[in-house]
Amino acid sequence: MSEFLVKDGVKNLQKPGEKLVTTHCCYCGMQCGMHIRVNEKSGKVVGVEPRYDWPVTLGKMCPKGVTAYQTVNHKERILKPLIKKNGQFIESSWEDAYDLIEKNFKRLQKDYGKDAVGVFGGVSMTNEKCYLVGKYARVGIGTRFLDYNGRFCMSSAAGGFMKTLGVDRGSSLPLPEFEHTNCLFMAGSNTAECHPTMIQWLWKAKDKGAKLIVADPRETPTARVADVHLDLKPGSDSALANGIMHLLVKEGYVDEEYVNERCNNYEELKAMVKKFTPEYTESITGVKKEKIIKAAHIYGQSPRSIVTFCRGIEQQNKGVDNVTLYTSMALLRGQIGKFASGVATITGQGNGQGGREHGQKADALPGYRKIDNPEHVKHVAGVWGIKPEEMPKAGVSAYEMFHEIQKENIRGMHIMCSNPAVSAPNLEYIWSGLKKLDFLVVSDFFLSETAEFADVVLPTTTWAEDEGTTTNLEGRVIRVRKVTEPVGESKTDWEIMCDIAKRMGKEQFFNYDNPKQIFEELRMASKGGKADYYGITWERIEKEDGVFWPCPSEDHPGTPTMFKEKFGTEDGKANLAAVDWAEPGETPTKDYPHILTTGRVVFHYLSGTQTRRVDFLMQQCPLPYIEIHPELASQYNISEKNLVKVTSPRSTMTVEARITKAIRKDTVFIPYHWGKELAANLLTNPALDPTSRMPEFKVAAVKLERI
């Protein structure tokens, strides 16, 4: 750690009586470098300093990162286990909490079978914890019902990359190379607010003459600085991508040599995009054909270009199709596998990359192995010390787990590092499921909206109170360092999982003394898989300041740039997508005539469990609101700050109006960081992508009423 402090010159910032600990932020996939100030006498976290030599963010931090340390010693931290008695939470001992969990989990499994208990994980945890969630569910509990909150975040990107490229890594190139590109095509990403420290690379590129194209229904802060803003109708991304590719083919912008040597399905793609003329594409997307043509020419003429996208295109019932089509744009230009060129999905959660690679998904095993592949099962079972036939079969996706609750197939659940009572779609259905469970355990460091439904709440540690690794949006595996001791009686998630597994009679499989031991086992479990971490060690990460996967051996340099020579498919070629446009799962009707889309704001993060407890962030954005175009607002006589009742086929909420021309006339926008009656996900559509099982958060039909 000291070598980083010396190299960064940050020792000059140390104050008497304080020490600085080098680590990374707990929030988004940027994983910004930081130094945490710790009072040497009390051991408490007291502040933060940027880390200027972290190559991904170069000392930049956003409002959330600057205030993240304030959650560590927050007055609302849960300090002891809580047991619900007569509808009220009572502080208890760990022994009593574990006794109750053991009793109920064993009872449910005895009466209804092993799968009666489900596990719901999260990807704001370290790689070590995410890996252990899969082993805990399948070995410790013995259930097939396992999934995680990344299903609501990165699953469509994963599904799309696997179809086209054969490997799911968030970015095919390192972030610092963005500075040297000639064109950035950003689809469904409000980078300036959702990943603020990434925007510096956009500015650096623009300072060198790069062009920016943004596809977004709203004129976001990112779209405002674009050379072309493609203000498309929500749910029409696949038509827009096909329209751009139509012009790439027609105007001779396709790198024919690259495509013929390195891609499949080119003829099928050409046949599909033939009908997506600028006029036809405009009729679907609502984007003026002149803008579409301009964007295609800019993108097609750029020697180096990068296509990036985010939840805007992914959280749809055809999110995987959208990802395959935007990725195919980059392939047509021959850009993937080259310097300052490629494709990237901008990861939402802190460990959204690593957390989806090592076995938390319903159908996945560590190293991005598949649970329906006997050889994959054999390898992981061997590492775990179980028989292959003891490995549970695939489960169902996060939202579909609540179907299983309603059908009484899942009767108990352990939810950790996740808040589906805010983050899932169609929330009234989710709430009814949480109430229906016979027994619910929630691990969290705050009493989240989900924890309020629990029978037992187990106090966990924050990111600053444990060691481990995460994998940022580039695929760079980095170290998160313990900054301070856990508050109260809180325990790390890995300790809690091991304790419960031992209570369930699986002690021999969960004898770890520290997270490093878990990582060593993860290395073995991932060896030979698509996400191969075998060559990555904590010592290498410390020495090299991060290592890119895949890294199959300790003498392998890691892989900053993916797909230089071949893709991750069986034949080594990328699969171009020949996919038609289709309607969203829900379209406007006479009763629900407008489109709702949802998203993030710069001052909050996901379900808001942490950021809504930070005073500064709440001062900046205390409540949700609805963005409405002036012409649409006038139809309902709505003025600035009027209360508006918003109703979808599922539920109703009331929010304050913000009148703005920075949104389409047929679309409204509500941020989703609040719970209960202020939750935007009361309204959202649970229609699922057929491949990724991602719900359609980004398109819902609504009606408006001024109150």
Side-chain angles (χ1 to χ4, degrees), residues 617-664:
L617 300 177
M618 283 297 284
Q619 289 165 10
Q620 303 305 310
C621 190
L623 293 167
Y625 52 84
I626 182 169
E627 288 186 356
I628 313 176
H629 191 277
E631 290 188 23
L632 180 57
S634 68
Q635 295 179 29
Y636 297 92
N637 197 27
I638 295 171
S639 301
E640 184 77 8
K641 295 191 176 182
N642 282 168
L643 289 178
V644 181
K645 182 180 179 181
V646 189
T647 304
S648 79
R650 288 155 293 281
S651 191
T652 295
M653 69 179 298
T654 300
V655 283
E656 190 177 273
R658 288 192 182 179
I659 313 301
T660 175
K661 293 182 179 179
I663 192 167
R664 289 177 55 91

Side-chain angles (χ1 to χ4, degrees), residues 109 112-118 141-145 392 409-412:
Q109 291 189 322
Y112 305 105
K114 287 285 189 180
D115 298 331
V117 178
I141 303 298
T143 182
R144 76 180 183 95
F145 285 127
N409 292 328
I410 297 177
R411 291 175 172 265

Side-chain angles (χ1 to χ4, degrees), residues 156 159-166 237-246 248-249 259 262-276 309 313 318-333 336 569 573-581 691:
S156 288
F161 281 158
M162 292 298 285
K163 279 190 173 186
T164 50
L165 308 177
D237 286 278
S238 55
L240 178 62
N242 276 326
I244 297 291
M245 288 193 289
H246 168 93
L248 294 180
V249 173
V259 169
R262 303 199 60 190
C263 301
N264 298 315
N265 306 326
Y266 183 36
E267 293 303 317
E268 292 86 343
L269 181 148
K270 285 195 293 183
M272 176 58 69
V273 303
K274 188 174 182 179
K275 69 179 179 181
F276 283 90
F309 37 80
I313 76 159
K318 50 185 182 296
V320 169
D321 286 351
N322 294 338
V323 170
T324 62
L325 289 166
Y326 280 114
T327 303
S328 294
M329 280 173 45
L331 289 166
L332 286 187
R333 289 287 300 123
I336 298 180
T569 56
K573 292 186 176 184
N575 296 313
L576 293 168
V579 180
D580 204 352
W581 172 77
T691 299

Side-chain angles (χ1 to χ4, degrees), residues 13-68:
L13 300 173
Q14 285 183 297
K15 298 178 181 179
E18 291 181 3
K19 66 176 181 179
L20 292 166
V21 181
T22 305
T23 190
H24 293 271
C25 183
C26 60
Y27 288 122
C28 80
M30 292 296 292
Q31 291 291 277
C32 301
M34 58 169 59
H35 306 289
I36 300 294
R37 290 186 179 277
V38 182
N39 182 288
E40 290 187 312
K41 186 175 182 180
S42 68
K44 288 188 174 182
V45 172
V46 294
V48 64
E49 294 291 343
R51 185 180 159 199
Y52 293 99
D53 72 334
W54 172 237
V56 181
T57 52
L58 302 177
K60 303 293 190 295
M61 295 180 70
C62 81
K64 298 182 291 293
V66 167
T67 56

Side-chain angles (χ1 to χ4, degrees), residues 145-179:
F145 285 127
L146 160 71
D147 211 49
Y148 73 131
N149 63 11
R151 183 71 63 177
F152 301 151
C153 184
M154 303 302 301
S155 59
S156 288
F161 281 158
M162 292 298 285
K163 279 190 173 186
T164 50
L165 308 177
V167 175
D168 164 33
R169 199 181 82 176
S171 179
S172 67
L173 71 160
L175 206 52
E177 289 187 12
F178 278 52
E179 175 183 353

Side-chain angles (χ1 to χ4, degrees), residues 459-477:
T460 60
T461 54
T462 64
W463 101 107
E465 296 162 317
D466 194 20
E467 297 277 342
T469 63
T470 60
T471 307
N472 78 342
L473 58 81
E474 307 167 288
R476 190 190 308 240
V477 185

Side-chain angles (χ1 to χ4, degrees), residues 153-154 185-192 194-195 212-218 220 222-223 229-238 240 307-316 322-323 326 344-348 597-600 669 672 698:
C153 184
M154 303 302 301
F185 193 117
M186 309 187 87
S189 172
N190 179 14
T191 309
C194 300
H195 299 85
L212 173 65
I213 302 164
V214 173
D216 199 300
R218 302 165 61 220
T220 63
T222 313
H229 174 207
L230 303 169
D231 50 340
L232 76 169
K233 186 178 181 179
S236 64
D237 286 278
S238 55
L240 178 62
V307 176
T308 70
F309 37 80
C310 206
R311 308 303 80 74
I313 76 159
E314 298 164 14
Q315 289 179 327
Q316 299 182 28
N322 294 338
V323 170
Y326 280 114
T345 178
I346 309 173
T347 308
T597 193
T598 62
R600 284 161 59 176
F669 168 84
Y672 59 71
K698 289 297 186 268

